[in-house]
Amino acid sequence: SVASADMDLNQLEAFLTAQTKKQGGITSDQAAVIAKFWKNHRIKIHESLINQSRWDNVLKNMNWRVDLKSQSRHIDQINTPVAIVEMELGKNGQ
């Protein structure tokens, strides 16, 4: 819960206080250890969760343009916009 919500120190304190008051919850000593661990490793844990949630492929480059027809057999097709998108995908970290 702490990691998925990316809790700041105030949120963490409120959450751990609620967990110590809950029947069958954690002790004050356990709450202190969790708080200390979270304070020391919050950034690493958050980055790890982000890396685990990514797909294998990442967007490396993207080009786009909009073309307009200037000639056509049918008058209603002139000036019809067409979007062309080129995306280059690559493996994460490469």
Side-chain angles (χ1 to χ4, degrees):
S1 295
V2 174
S4 63
D6 193 28
M7 293 183 185
D8 63 20
L9 297 179
N10 292 332
Q11 292 170 322
L12 176 66
E13 185 178 331
F15 176 76
L16 292 176
T17 301
Q19 294 301 311
T20 58
K21 293 179 180 179
K22 189 180 355 178
Q23 186 164 355
I26 61 176
T27 65
S28 303
D29 292 336
Q30 290 171 328
V33 170
I34 293 169
K36 184 176 180 181
F37 182 83
W38 182 246
K39 288 175 190 175
N40 292 331
H41 299 286
R42 176 182 179 196
I43 294 171
K44 291 178 190 175
I45 294 169
H46 184 69
E47 288 174 358
S48 176
L49 288 174
I50 288 172
N51 288 333
Q52 290 175 23
S53 66
R54 286 188 185 148
W55 293 344
D56 288 338
N57 291 325
V58 295
L59 181 63
K60 297 184 82 73
N61 191 20
M62 185 176 101
N63 296 312
W64 65 275
R65 72 175 196 246
V66 176
D67 291 344
L68 295 173
K69 282 189 175 185
S70 60
Q71 290 183 330
S72 180
R73 269 190 239 175
H74 305 288
I75 193 81
D76 60 335
Q77 292 179 347
I78 294 178
N79 293 329
T80 303
V82 176
I84 298 172
V85 178
E86 178 185 11
M87 293 186 283
E88 180 184 352
L89 301 176
K91 290 288 183 191
N92 192 11
Q94 295 179 353

